[in-house]
Amino acid sequence: YGAVDTAMLARTIAWLKSRRDGKGGYLRDAKALDSFGRASPEVTDAYITWALVSAGERGLEKEITKLVKLSETTEDAYQLALATGALLEKSANASKAGLAAVARLAKMQAASGAWMNADHSITRSGGSNLHIETTALAVLALLKTEGYLEQARRGIAWLQNNRSGFGQWG
């Protein structure tokens, strides 16, 4: 979508980067009033870094290093999908770690085509909504590299079969 105000994007990126904690994560506001603001630090940090890297931001070495560690240790498919997506972006400059992460992510795919093993999303989704969000992020990550087209197709087929009606999910 090309009509997003570039000044607004620049302000948002600058604000997010100003919230870095110096350890690869981001400062959180303890006054969050709803569950949206209560995602775990692992989910929140991965989501923000993924968003910044996807927007082409550079200078996120500590944040990328934290995602590499997360991608090596997490058993949560949502967290791994976010980390993998960020690590496979050209601007992340972490292709070796990204390739290892995508291989781990592909192995987490269920026989149904979905990615089911996740605790919560950035919006604290659960149940089928969480599976849909996780599968969508995993498919996006898989499509960033070669060799995982069949897994991506199975994920897409699962998503298509799990619409709640009229082309909607969740």
Side-chain angles (χ1 to χ4, degrees):
Y1 182 73
V4 176
D5 181 52
T6 55
M8 181 199 67
L9 288 175
R11 285 191 310 272
T12 303
I13 289 168
W15 183 80
L16 286 170
K17 288 175 85 174
S18 79
R19 301 292 298 165
R20 292 184 290 179
D21 65 8
K23 299 180 242 172
Y26 301 86
L27 301 171
R28 298 171 50 152
D29 188 345
K31 297 179 290 191
L33 299 176
D34 57 28
S35 62
F36 183 84
R38 298 290 181 212
S40 69
E42 294 82 10
V43 168
T44 302
D45 293 347
Y47 188 88
I48 294 170
T49 301
W50 169 70
L52 289 170
V53 170
S54 295
E57 283 304 299
R58 298 184 183 274
L60 299 165
E61 289 78 16
K62 288 181 181 177
E63 293 76 14
I64 295 297
T65 298
K66 188 171 183 178
L67 284 185
V68 170
K69 289 177 186 170
L70 179 68
S71 74
E72 295 169 347
T73 60
T74 188
E75 295 301 323
D76 186 293
Y78 185 86
Q79 293 175 21
L80 184 55
L82 288 171
T84 302
L87 294 173
L88 290 173
E89 284 291 334
K90 289 180 178 67
S91 60
N93 199 20
S95 60
K96 185 177 178 181
L99 293 175
V102 76
R104 282 193 76 225
L105 183 62
K107 288 179 184 175
M108 288 184 176
Q109 187 176 30
S112 66
W115 278 262
M116 309 284 253
N117 55 322
D119 182 66
H120 67 277
S121 70
I122 191 68
T123 60
R124 295 295 297 188
S125 293
S128 62
N129 291 332
L130 177 59
H131 301 152
I132 289 165
E133 287 182 50
T134 304
T135 300
L137 283 171
V139 167
L140 288 172
L142 292 175
L143 290 173
K144 291 177 185 273
T145 189
E146 295 180 17
Y148 298 96
L149 188 56
E150 184 54 36
Q151 290 93 332
R153 283 184 179 147
R154 287 192 350 215
I156 292 166
W158 184 88
L159 287 168
Q160 289 173 324
N161 290 327
N162 283 275
R163 290 181 289 184
S164 58
F166 303 109
Q168 299 174 7
W169 288 267

